[in-house]
Amino acid sequence: MHVLVSPGRFDRPTTSAPGAPGPAGWPAMSAPEVARAIADGWHDTRPDDRVDLLPLGDGGPGLIDVLRPVRGGELVAATVPDAGGVPVPGAVLVLTEDSGARTAWVDGSLALAGSAPVAGSSTAGLGELVRAALATEAERIVVGTGPRRVTAHDGGWGLLRALLGGDGLPESPPVQAPPGFAERLAGLIAELRGRDLVLLGHHDLPLLGLNGASAALVDAGRAGAEESQAVERRMADLVAMLTAAAGPGRRDLLATGHGHDHGILPAATATRPGVTPGSGAGGGAAFALGLLGARRVDGAAWVADAVRLADRVAEVDLVVTGAGVLDATALEEGVLPAVSAAALPLGIPLIALAAELRTGRRDWGAAGVAGAFGVIESPEQLAGWQAGPATALRARIPRVARTWSR
């Protein structure tokens, strides 16, 4: 039997399921680690099956780690500041497409992480990575902004400041436009007009609003209600200033969509870019990229296309995918629907694995999943996962393989 193992990253859950044992958090696993644990568990009971590994991503952490083993490419190393200003390693992966055009991929996860108070955090590190990507002269720049929750939260001001060179611009987001800022921003927008700037979207968190990125600081434990409201006001002032500086003639592709066939996400009102779904990604870096003309796409669909998932699925008898928590959100966005979109039209069975299963057969069946399996179903299994997630996942696979291998 020929099996393709194509899971995403198993991120830590941010909430506990009703009645779930133990604390909400547990160790995360990268997509390659998940794929390897599944393959090892499969071979423990079905050693004669052919098992291929194709870990996926959605624009979150590990973007380059899933692309480079499949596509190769030129890795451009760069040391950039994280959200608190501490130097961290970064990289840009430049791939040559079949057409001969070049695409530069940027993973902003480390640049937007770190330790810093909300008011002192910055997206400057991601700006430096985007600048390094532009320096490669690639025709297309694809940017991942890390997980849903990042440390940076400055509305993308640090990113813009880094791309503009920083001279004469304050480090903290200003309320009023600095002298000459509008002209400099217009020059940057004009410079980028010949580039295809792409934002990998994988959640709909807006920058502003009751359910926006500033409000989410409270749930993340990074700010109290009063501080969150103060941050919201500062972000609203920044959005107003930047939107005015960008000018009325600017076309915001992040808000209005783009005629492309790689998973464009729903459009929003172009006149209110601060509440555009996904504009809060990367602490507002997505909003700033939208000002520069970035178009937002489905991150998982784009990564799946880049690693040629559809071609690989067509060659196998069974596909195995997975997510850290299999719930309604995981069924609607991220890696699982991207894999289902490749397997379902071909009639290839798809099964899903998760650390925690939080949905039933009716829901995952409607999403094109033929079988779903969780690892953590008791306090003992939770303890085992926390002690060694790869071992716990591997131990769960033999029963699955005996059921599905033929």
Side-chain angles (χ1 to χ4, degrees):
M1 186 172 188
H2 192 177
V3 181
L4 179 66
V5 179
S6 197
R9 177 181 172 87
F10 276 27
D11 281 319
R12 298 175 178 86
T14 56
T15 60
S16 293
W26 36 254
M29 296 176 67
S30 69
E33 289 172 337
V34 173
R36 174 47 58 192
I38 293 173
D40 288 345
W42 198 281
H43 277 144
D44 286 342
T45 192
R46 290 292 185 266
D48 294 332
D49 285 353
R50 176 181 170 184
V51 181
D52 294 342
L53 278 59
L54 189 68
L56 295 178
D58 58 7
L63 176 62
I64 291 177
D65 292 338
V66 302
L67 289 170
R68 196 180 183 202
V70 179
R71 295 288 306 275
E74 175 190 354
L75 196 64
V76 179
T79 300
V80 300
D82 69 7
V86 177
V88 293
V92 175
L93 181 66
V94 182
L95 302 179
T96 301
E97 310 297 346
D98 294 339
S99 65
R102 300 202 306 161
T103 301
W105 294 76
V106 175
D107 182 352
S109 300
L110 289 179
L112 299 172
S115 177
V118 175
S121 64
S122 174
T123 57
L126 179 59
E128 293 189 16
L129 284 175
V130 173
R131 188 170 63 186
L134 292 169
T136 67
E137 299 186 354
E139 291 87 349
R140 175 177 291 156
I141 311 297
V142 182
V143 182
T145 55
R148 180 182 179 91
R149 290 181 176 176
V150 298
T151 302
H153 191 94
D154 68 351
W157 172 253
L159 179 145
L160 291 174
R161 186 175 182 275
L163 291 175
L164 290 168
D167 294 341
L169 299 177
E171 292 190 10
S172 299
V175 174
Q176 296 182 338
F181 176 74
E183 291 77 12
R184 293 173 68 177
L185 183 60
L188 177 60
I189 293 173
E191 178 186 342
L192 295 176
R193 197 159 287 143
R195 302 288 188 96
D196 185 13
L197 190 58
V198 178
L199 173 69
L200 297 179
H202 60 94
H203 63 74
D204 287 341
L205 187 71
L207 177 56
L208 302 177
L210 293 176
N211 296 311
S214 297
L217 294 171
V218 179
D219 293 335
R222 298 196 61 219
E226 186 174 339
E227 183 182 2
S228 172
Q229 292 171 7
V231 173
E232 174 82 356
R233 288 191 293 270
R234 291 199 300 270
M235 291 298 100
D237 289 341
L238 178 67
V239 166
M241 184 274 285
L242 290 175
T243 303
R250 175 191 56 81
R251 183 184 179 200
D252 185 354
L253 296 180
L254 188 65
T256 61
H258 190 278
H260 200 279
D261 61 354
H262 289 274
I264 297 297
L265 298 180
T269 304
T271 56
R272 302 183 63 197
V275 297
T276 300
S279 60
F287 162 73
L289 290 167
L291 286 180
L292 300 178
R295 56 193 177 101
R296 181 171 177 254
V297 302
D298 184 321
W302 263 64
V303 174
D305 183 62
V307 299
R308 293 156 184 153
L309 172 67
D311 292 341
R312 300 289 296 275
V313 168
E315 299 172 349
V316 304
D317 304 305
L318 176 70
V319 181
V320 182
T321 189
V325 175
L326 189 60
D327 57 9
T329 300
L331 293 175
E332 294 174 358
E333 58 189 47
V335 167
L336 192 148
V339 179
S340 178
L344 195 59
L346 299 176
I348 306 297
L350 171 66
I351 61 174
L353 297 162
E356 291 185 5
L357 192 61
R358 298 185 184 177
T359 187
R361 179 184 298 272
R362 180 177 180 178
D363 293 328
W364 49 254
V369 177
F373 307 90
V375 176
I376 304 172
E377 298 175 341
S378 69
E380 294 77 17
Q381 290 169 330
L382 173 64
W385 184 274
Q386 291 174 326
T391 300
L393 179 58
R394 178 174 180 171
R396 181 69 172 91
I397 304 305
R399 281 191 295 164
V400 178
R402 283 193 291 269
T403 300
W404 286 91
S405 179
R406 61 175 189 268

